[in-house]
Amino acid sequence: MMTEAEIDYRKYLDPKALARVRGLELRARMIVEGFFSGMHRSPHHGASVEFADHRAYVQGDDLRHIDWKVYGKTDKYYIKEYEQETNLTLMVVVDASESMRYRSHNDLMSKYDYATSVAAAISYLALKQQDSVGLAVFDENIRSFIRPSNSGHQWRLVVRELAAQTGRTKTSMKRILDELSERLPGRTLIIIIGDLFDDADAVLNGLRQLRYRRHELIVWNIWDPAELTLPFSGPMLFEGLESSGRLLIDPRSLRERYVEEVNAFRDQLKTGCGKMQVDLAFFDTATPLDVALSGYLATRSARLRQRSARIMGKG
Amino acid sequence: MNPLHAVELVANTNVNHLAAAPFLHPTLAAGALGLALIPVLIHLINRRRYVKVPWAAMRFLLAAKRGRARRVRIEQFLLLALRIAVIVLFGLGIARPYLSAATMPILGDSRVHRIVILDNSLSMRATTSGGVAGDEAATRFLRAKRCVLRLLDSFAPTDGISVVTTANPATPVVEQAAFDRRQVRDRVGAIQPTHRSTDVVGSMTAAIDILRDSPFPPANRAVYLVSDFPQTIWQSKASGQSTAATLALTRLANALHDPATDLTVINVAHEARPNLAISRMEVTSSLVGVRHPIRVSTEVINYSRVTARDRFLQVRRDGQIIRSDPLPPLKPGATALLHMTTEFSRAGTRLIEAKITGQGGDALSVDDSRYLSIDVRDGIPVLLVEGRRGSTALDGDAAYLATALSPALPGEGKLLVSPKVIAESELAGESLADYSAVMLCNVARLSRQTWAQLEAYVEQGGGLQIYLGDRVAVDHYNRYGFAEGAGLIPARLRSSVDALRATNNTSDAPTFELAQPVHVMVAEFADYAESGLFTARVDRYFPVDQRSNGSNVVLQFSNGDAALVASSFGRGRVLLWTTTANMDWTNLPARGDFVSIAMSATSFLAPTQGAHRNLLVGASILEPLTPTQSALPLSVLARHDTSGGSATVETPALVPNGDALALRYGPIEVAMPVTVTIGKESLVFAINIDPSESDLASIDLATLVADIGMPIHIGTNDFGAEQVSAAQRSKELARAALCVVVVLLLVEMWTAMRLGSHRAVVATAT
């Protein structure tokens, strides 16, 4: 029998493989395991010793952690903080509107499954790194809100909440994001996962409001591959999810124009997010999930470096 | 075209409405139009048969549709139109469309009733210079048929077509205007060249009748005469005179609206090979007896532009070759008359066949042979009735005549004619049917019953010869014999005149002369001026002052009065001499030629019974049967090949013939001998061609047009091929339509690909 260590978790980064795995918690674990085994690095080794930030020395601090090089430059005592000692607040915001239930093929996950898998995996990873993790699930309204915490049972709370929600109504991004900006205290790293099928200006306005509150934003725009190419032929009656109407057409006749519309929407998001320094990434449900995790870690590392540089600059 | 007229035209001709459609296969066209609905139906069905797909990114789809809705609709309609066009054009293409005025009124009304006259007479069997005799592939007829088929191809499918053949009798093969082109082609294809003569007049009369009954407008009628235009028929020997054919063609031209364009004559004659023909074969004596030598004359004519050499004339008697004589070199147009003497060993119908042999065939092989059926008799019984019986051999009124008819002395053998001399009073007791002829010599008068018996006898085919004399009661003869032109005697008699009274000199007495035109009975004396006939005197005779209709003067006296009058009565013949049969009134019986005259007269009165057994192609055999014969088994053996090659045996029909029956077989289409068997008796019939067909020279059509005196169109042998045929035009249109179909298919595929996707994905929603 193969031991757990011998299991190649990397295969679970493939959405098609993950789609066959039932249970969000197990799926998230597999994503993380697969991710790190792919990097030849385990989250259980060295995570606590990885330097992350500096803070001023206070009485009672272990003198071994004083950074003497900084003292030599600044004549002030700074304690080296390692990753497990960081206090990053991560808010995962998942779109659970009806449009997220769509999947074009049985081999693929629905957009919501993909989003919750990524959200759970990110939460797991963040909590493992001692970050505080919160969750907001919304459709027309915020259906579920878990305040950020790094408590031991936080991940289970998050996973349970992600698994419990089912999309019912349409998305109202602007209102949701405005409400979130009011609820979230301080500077928070917010990861918004959804198809964002709303007016692009409304989405961008909501993001702008969050940025105004000095939150860090990561937006992962999830698409089903069919939504990108409209690969159908023959007469088809498209019944819009989120009560968006019905349309009987031969999709071949609209494909070109449809793709243009999609690309225009994505371009508008990309441009708007770029202006606001919001990390926007597009995923389709066939994209391996390690891409999302890599994106998160890269953003987290960059943020920690910025904080460190800021401290160094003050010193 | 006036629409009302079009309706009337269609109604009158019972034309199927599809015949007016612009397609060779209108049913296919109708089918194509029906099939054109298929893409529409598919389109409509597809609109009802769709796949339901839950869709999240509806906002982009709606946005795309807003921007593309009109274009998509246009593209869909374009695609639908392309598919409809592909099906319609393909269907119309294979339906063979064509353009004509009938289908495109803007082009005017051009539906034409076209009447084709095709010559299929014997001369059309003539082969070309390079052909072999009998090889139809190189005959005039084949050229003519090809020409007609080309003509048919050149006619518009809506044209009505009639076809008439010229072989005698002219026959409308397709009388009513026919629109089924395939049927007309089949009918034309079935026409074969015949052995018959040409009935040009009849064919043109038939065409005129068809024109008269044609429902087409007068301006929309056309006639095409395809023939070899034989000179013998179309060109009069006397300049300035029109032949019957020319007059008929003129009538036909006058029946057309514009002969210059509506009447086309096409001469398919070519430079024929030399043609040598047997134009005539006959025996000089109409009375042929067993072991009685006869002279057979055969006439051979060279209808060529070159001298004919090294040819032979082969003669067969009852199938056995009896002579094969070389023909003298025959210059172009020259005639050779060959004589031979033969005799038959037994009675019955016998066959003489003549055939030209030698190296190198000629253009027309049929006229190289000729057949002659001869009735050979054991004897000809003749009844002589004399008014005054003589005490010696030459005293009776019929004594000289009896001697002349049977000149042999007792013991010299049996002669052909067997005369029996009886007295006037014995006539009532005789069975006249036992005699071939009855001859009255100076009979004073007959009872009314006897006159009636004689009338019935002659009516049935018997012969009656009447010599007059001093005992004749003129009033009685005129009253019962002449009967105002309705009786047996062909002339009314006046009182006898003494020819010597005016001259008182016997040397000035009237003599005998041939009346003009020379009667066939005495034709042999025409070139025999030294004959005793012309030196014989007549002392007394009965002038005639009135003759019955149809009677002819055969001999006359030098003073112009009639000496011998001939007439027909029923199926028999009558000869009336105005003088005596003995030496009482004329010394003619003492002349040696009296024998010839007597025999000729007997031949005239009792003709060869087999005359009806020499027929021309196209005639039917009709052999009267006695009641006994009617009960016997009958059969007909037609020998298509005189060398015994092929033959057919058939049973003839029995038809009423007066009070009795007759055997009927025919009409016979081939020149050949035919043997009819009645019980154990065989009768041979000779079927020959009309010798006028042997002259293959054709008239120059320009001369013909000049003779008619009005312009008509002269077509070439390739007429029809000069024009792009309707069928060809139709093919080109069909080809063009199919090319467009291919292009449209490519466009349709390109459009469909452009509008379509590469693969289908089944969408689901969880």
Side-chain angles (χ1 to χ4, degrees), chain B residues 287 378-382 405-407 414-419 439 599 602:
Chain B
L287 295 177
D378 269 335
I380 301 173
V382 175
L405 291 174
S406 185
K414 187 179 179 183
L415 292 175
L416 181 59
V417 179
S418 307
M439 300 179 184
M599 292 300 288
T602 305

Side-chain angles (χ1 to χ4, degrees), chain B residues 97-352:
Chain B
Y98 61 87
L99 296 177
S100 74
T103 57
M104 300 182 69
I106 195 170
L107 298 178
D109 178 15
S110 69
R111 297 212 299 172
V112 180
H113 189 177
R114 302 184 187 275
I115 301 164
V116 178
I117 303 173
L118 173 59
D119 190 347
N120 63 336
S121 62
L122 174 63
S123 63
M124 296 292 283
R125 299 175 71 101
T127 53
T128 59
S129 303
V132 178
D135 177 13
E136 194 191 328
T139 61
R140 291 177 175 181
F141 180 77
L142 187 76
R143 291 158 63 98
K145 191 190 269 189
R146 286 176 178 165
C147 178
V148 170
L149 292 176
R150 279 196 299 270
L151 280 174
L152 294 180
D153 285 344
S154 71
F155 297 159
T158 48
D159 290 346
I161 297 171
S162 297
V163 180
V164 178
T165 55
T166 66
N168 192 16
T171 307
V173 178
V174 181
E175 190 164 11
Q176 300 283 336
F179 297 90
D180 187 337
R181 193 54 44 84
R182 178 176 295 180
Q183 186 185 24
V184 174
R185 287 182 67 91
D186 290 345
R187 300 288 285 275
V188 170
I191 298 172
Q192 295 298 325
T194 66
H195 286 192
R196 295 187 181 221
S197 58
T198 307
D199 182 15
V200 174
V201 176
S203 64
M204 281 184 282
T205 303
I208 291 170
D209 291 344
I210 293 173
L211 285 173
R212 187 186 60 232
D213 298 334
S214 173
F216 286 68
N220 289 16
R221 301 171 186 173
V223 177
Y224 304 83
L225 175 55
V226 184
S227 171
D228 57 353
F229 292 89
Q231 217 168 41
T232 53
I233 294 173
W234 292 95
Q235 191 165 331
S236 173
K237 290 176 181 173
S239 71
Q241 288 195 348
S242 299
T243 64
T246 310
L247 292 173
L249 187 62
T250 306
R251 286 202 306 276
L252 179 59
N254 286 327
L256 290 164
H257 179 73
D258 181 8
T261 57
D262 298 341
L263 178 56
T264 302
V265 288
I266 302 170
N267 188 357
V268 294
H270 42 64
E271 186 61 34
R273 306 165 70 212
N275 188 37
L276 217 57
I278 301 176
S279 58
R280 187 162 54 94
M281 182 167 63
E282 59 189 12
V283 291
T284 52
S285 173
S286 59
L287 295 177
V288 181
V290 174
R291 303 194 187 289
H292 190 80
I294 57 167
R295 195 166 71 153
V296 179
S297 301
T298 309
E299 184 181 71
V300 178
I301 301 178
N302 180 15
Y303 293 109
S304 310
R305 294 183 181 178
V306 295
T307 301
R309 302 176 190 277
D310 302 327
R311 308 298 286 275
F312 296 84
L313 184 70
Q314 187 183 80
V315 180
R316 293 169 183 253
R317 182 183 61 199
D318 291 335
Q320 301 297 319
I321 298 174
I322 56 173
R323 292 283 291 272
S324 183
D325 300 324
L327 287 171
L330 283 173
K331 292 183 178 177
T335 301
L337 192 60
L338 290 91
H339 305 284
M340 61 166 287
T341 302
T342 186
E343 62 180 46
F344 295 91
S345 60
R346 56 189 172 90
T349 58
R350 295 288 174 263
L351 181 71
I352 297 286

Side-chain angles (χ1 to χ4, degrees), chain B residues 726-748:
Chain B
Q728 186 61 32
R729 287 197 301 273
S730 170
K731 279 182 185 172
E732 289 172 359
L733 276 177
R735 196 175 295 124
L738 294 178
C739 287
V740 174
V741 165
V742 172
V743 172
L744 287 180
L745 270 176
L746 293 174
V747 172
E748 192 274 342

Side-chain angles (χ1 to χ4, degrees), chain A residues 51-55 78 81-90 129-132 186-189 214 216 299-315:
Chain A
F51 171 78
D53 207 348
H54 288 90
R55 69 172 171 84
Y78 281 89
E81 282 190 338
Y82 295 86
E83 282 184 341
Q84 67 271 32
E85 292 171 317
T86 58
N87 192 22
L88 185 69
T89 303
L90 173 65
Q129 292 177 318
Q130 305 302 314
D131 291 337
S132 296
R187 296 176 63 184
T188 306
L189 174 60
R214 305 181 65 80
E216 294 291 328
T299 302
R300 183 176 179 276
S301 297
R303 186 180 173 196
L304 292 177
R305 280 195 298 273
Q306 285 172 4
R307 185 187 295 179
S308 176
R310 205 165 42 244
I311 293 170
M312 293 292 286
K314 286 176 183 176

Side-chain angles (χ1 to χ4, degrees), chain B residues 297-625:
Chain B
S297 301
T298 309
E299 184 181 71
V300 178
I301 301 178
N302 180 15
Y303 293 109
S304 310
R305 294 183 181 178
V306 295
T307 301
R309 302 176 190 277
D310 302 327
R311 308 298 286 275
F312 296 84
L313 184 70
Q314 187 183 80
V315 180
R316 293 169 183 253
R317 182 183 61 199
D318 291 335
Q320 301 297 319
I321 298 174
I322 56 173
R323 292 283 291 272
S324 183
D325 300 324
L327 287 171
L330 283 173
K331 292 183 178 177
T335 301
L337 192 60
L338 290 91
H339 305 284
M340 61 166 287
T341 302
T342 186
E343 62 180 46
F344 295 91
S345 60
R346 56 189 172 90
T349 58
R350 295 288 174 263
L351 181 71
I352 297 286
E353 306 171 32
K355 185 175 185 179
I356 299 170
T357 61
Q359 290 188 339
D362 59 17
L364 205 56
S365 60
V366 180
D367 61 9
D368 292 350
S369 299
R370 202 154 186 92
Y371 314 99
L372 181 64
S373 174
I374 301 173
D375 189 36
V376 181
R377 301 183 182 187
D378 269 335
I380 301 173
V382 175
L383 181 64
L384 274 58
V385 185
E386 55 185 5
R388 184 166 42 229
R389 305 289 286 187
S391 56
T392 65
L394 295 178
D395 279 354
D397 287 328
Y400 281 91
L401 183 57
T403 304
L405 291 174
S406 185
L409 294 173
E412 287 187 342
K414 187 179 179 183
L415 292 175
L416 181 59
V417 179
S418 307
K420 178 182 178 183
V421 182
I422 62 171
E424 182 179 319
S425 59
E426 296 169 330
L427 179 58
E430 287 289 336
S431 172
L432 300 183
D434 294 339
Y435 300 94
S436 296
V438 175
M439 300 179 184
L440 305 179
C441 302
N442 198 19
V443 172
R445 62 180 64 226
L446 299 170
S447 66
R448 291 180 62 180
Q449 184 182 1
T450 306
W451 279 116
Q453 285 178 343
L454 282 173
E455 283 184 359
Y457 166 71
V458 177
E459 181 88 34
Q460 293 298 317
L464 175 64
Q465 184 169 222
I466 302 170
Y467 285 91
L468 302 177
D470 58 349
R471 298 186 70 245
V472 167
V474 172
D475 291 342
H476 175 82
Y477 268 57
N478 283 340
R479 184 175 180 183
Y480 298 106
F482 180 64
E484 298 300 326
L488 280 172
I489 300 176
R492 189 170 68 180
L493 305 174
R494 289 188 296 165
S495 299
S496 62
V497 297
D498 183 355
L500 292 175
R501 182 181 295 175
T503 63
N504 288 325
N505 186 350
T506 55
S507 63
D508 293 334
T511 55
F512 291 87
E513 294 178 350
L514 298 180
Q516 296 298 329
V518 176
H519 194 275
V520 64
M521 194 185 90
V522 293
E524 61 182 304
F525 293 96
D527 299 327
Y528 186 28
E530 298 79 18
S531 168
L533 172 64
F534 304 124
T535 58
R537 290 178 292 103
V538 62
D539 300 336
R540 196 172 189 85
Y541 64 95
F542 287 93
V544 298
D545 62 357
Q546 185 181 348
R547 288 189 287 116
S548 58
N549 290 335
S551 63
N552 301 102
V553 175
V554 179
L555 292 174
Q556 65 184 20
F557 300 121
S558 53
N559 62 8
D561 285 340
L564 177 60
V565 180
S567 70
S568 295
F569 189 87
R571 288 162 51 191
R573 291 172 175 175
V574 178
L575 286 173
L576 171 65
W577 291 87
T578 59
T579 187
T580 59
N582 60 13
M583 298 289 285
D584 287 355
W585 289 6
T586 176
N587 62 359
L588 177 62
R591 302 288 171 167
D593 287 335
F594 185 65
V595 175
S596 297
I597 292 172
M599 292 300 288
S600 295
T602 305
S603 296
F604 179 74
L605 294 173
T608 304
Q609 290 181 356
H612 66 287
R613 298 188 187 117
N614 287 290
L615 304 169
L616 291 181
V617 167
S620 293
I621 288 174
L622 191 68
E623 179 68 26
L625 300 175

Side-chain angles (χ1 to χ4, degrees), chain A residues 99 101-106 110-111 195 197-199 223 226-227 230-233 235-241 244-250 252-258 261-262 265, chain B residues 46-69 71-72 75-76 79 83 752 754-766:
Chain A
S99 63
R101 316 297 301 180
Y102 178 75
R103 65 172 174 172
S104 62
H105 201 282
N106 285 332
S110 69
K111 290 188 286 185
D195 57 15
F197 285 173
D198 198 351
D199 182 62
W223 294 79
E227 290 174 334
L230 196 66
F232 310 116
S233 61
M236 302 188 87
L237 178 63
F238 290 91
E239 295 182 311
L241 303 176
S244 52
R246 292 151 62 100
L247 185 59
L248 177 61
I249 55 161
D250 185 342
R252 290 176 299 184
S253 61
L254 285 181
R255 179 175 302 123
E256 188 180 346
R257 181 66 181 161
Y258 170 86
E261 289 289 336
V262 168
F265 174 78
Chain B
N46 281 344
R47 285 181 66 87
R48 297 178 63 85
R49 296 180 60 185
Y50 47 78
V51 178
K52 282 186 181 178
V53 182
W55 189 246
M58 200 69 182
R59 61 170 45 249
F60 307 111
L61 210 50
L62 291 170
K65 182 176 181 294
R66 275 195 296 276
R68 295 264 303 176
R71 187 174 170 184
V72 166
E75 285 176 347
Q76 283 182 337
L79 205 56
R83 288 166 178 170
R754 187 169 172 274
L755 300 180
S757 66
H758 298 295
R759 63 183 177 90
V761 175
V762 177
T764 57
T766 58

